[in-house]
Amino acid sequence: MRKLLTTAVMMMALSIMSTETFAEGSKPFSATAVQAANGQEQVGKLFVSDQGVRYEYVERGREMIKIVLHKEQVMRILFPQEKQFIEIKAPAGTPAPGMENEKPCPPVDGLVCEKVADAKFGNLAVEQWSQTHAPSKTSSKLWWEPVRKMVVRQEYSTGQIMQLTRLEDVDFEGRSVEHWDVSFATPDGKVSKMSRYIDMDIGIIVKVDDPARGMKRELRNVKVATDDQGWFSVPQGYQRIKAPKAPGATMGR
């Protein structure tokens, strides 16, 4: 069962799109990732399988490719014009398609996550969980849908509530997808909404419409593949170079 990702690898690569993958037996696929905000679009090419994620894009006129192999915990950054690449450890918290996500709580220091009971949420069979974050002295109750591996309702100790409601399935670029309404309510009665569209065949959110922030994120031109076709290999002729030091790093003596 694929992990439900709150931030996709492509978000890490270029802050293009936030997405979530979750469906069991999900198939390798490629797609064009598009984020539209403030009248501008950012576009990149995405390749996803249980092995990893590849993201191709252009940054300041320079072609870039980022590859994350989650089992190896490796990130490769390729520079096609120079035929060079660097290889580093994948940053902590990097999303990992194909990995199990049996708990609805993220791996955060000081966060305790416990299952309370099985329950029903509308027509859905769900699990109730509680989470407590000692450092911030906050807590919440969660309703966890184990098939899609996503939280369908969360009540925070601060009085905020997040809830998902499934609407009728719709067609998105020739594919049938689930349409979910996502509501966020604050203690003062204000409610904001966004929409989420899930393609269960490939196990990923293919569209997010967030009118409150004037933003849309989509995976267009989805193409399902039978295998990853070498998406995550470094092409022949590329030279590995040293990764630049992180800002503020000191030189060893």
Side-chain angles (χ1 to χ4, degrees):
M1 188 77 62
R2 281 190 175 171
K3 186 177 181 181
L4 200 165
L5 307 179
T6 55
T7 309
V9 171
M10 55 181 167
M11 187 73 171
M12 170 274 301
L14 192 61
S15 299
I16 284 289
M17 180 173 180
S18 176
T19 187
E20 299 167 336
T21 61
F22 46 82
E24 186 172 12
S26 298
K27 306 167 185 177
F29 71 91
S30 63
T32 300
V34 180
Q35 175 173 288
N38 301 319
Q40 296 183 338
E41 279 192 349
Q42 292 176 296
V43 182
K45 189 70 175 179
L46 182 72
F47 302 81
V48 179
S49 81
D50 286 345
Q51 182 180 348
V53 176
R54 174 189 177 105
Y55 188 64
E56 301 177 353
Y57 60 102
V58 176
E59 185 176 85
R60 297 179 182 177
R62 187 184 194 186
E63 294 180 18
M64 304 275 284
I65 300 173
K66 287 191 177 181
I67 296 173
V68 172
L69 303 174
H70 67 268
K71 291 182 180 178
E72 296 86 346
Q73 294 186 323
V74 165
M75 177 190 291
R76 293 173 180 150
I77 305 175
L78 283 63
F79 309 99
Q81 292 160 297
E82 296 86 355
K83 292 192 179 300
Q84 297 176 332
F85 75 99
I86 62 175
E87 185 172 303
I88 59 176
K89 183 177 180 180
T94 299
M99 293 185 67
E100 294 291 337
N101 187 32
E102 300 302 335
K103 292 184 178 182
C105 307
V108 175
D109 290 342
L111 185 67
V112 177
C113 189
E114 298 178 326
K115 181 180 177 180
V116 177
D118 293 322
K120 294 287 288 185
F121 184 80
N123 295 325
L124 295 173
V126 299
E127 299 171 357
Q128 285 185 300
W129 288 71
S130 67
Q131 68 175 21
T132 303
H133 188 238
S136 64
K137 298 181 180 179
T138 58
S139 62
S140 69
K141 298 178 182 178
L142 304 95
W143 284 256
W144 169 250
E145 202 281 295
V147 174
R148 295 166 183 80
K149 292 193 176 295
M150 67 182 187
V151 177
V152 293
R153 181 179 173 87
Q154 188 163 4
E155 299 177 355
Y156 299 87
S157 57
T158 54
Q160 297 171 308
I161 297 174
M162 183 278 293
Q163 180 164 309
L164 274 67
T165 303
R166 184 174 176 179
L167 307 178
E168 291 186 2
D169 292 357
V170 300
D171 179 275
F172 178 69
E173 294 206 331
R175 298 176 64 86
S176 179
V177 299
E178 295 182 357
H179 180 194
W180 291 80
D181 173 86
V182 186
S183 298
F184 302 90
T186 57
D188 59 5
K190 293 181 180 179
V191 178
S192 60
K193 292 189 175 185
M194 60 186 293
S195 294
R196 177 184 293 182
Y197 300 82
I198 303 174
D199 188 325
M200 290 297 292
D201 182 48
I202 58 173
I204 201 164
I205 294 176
V206 292
K207 182 178 179 180
V208 175
D209 189 356
D210 189 350
R213 294 194 295 172
M215 183 179 295
K216 290 185 179 181
R217 302 183 179 114
E218 298 180 350
L219 293 184
R220 301 174 184 170
N221 194 30
V222 171
K223 294 182 179 179
V224 177
T226 56
D227 57 58
D228 59 33
Q229 307 171 41
W231 292 337
F232 312 112
S233 301
V234 176
Q236 289 187 351
Y238 274 62
Q239 177 187 8
R240 182 173 176 175
I241 59 176
K242 291 184 178 180
K245 291 186 177 294
T250 57
M251 298 290 292
R253 294 183 180 181

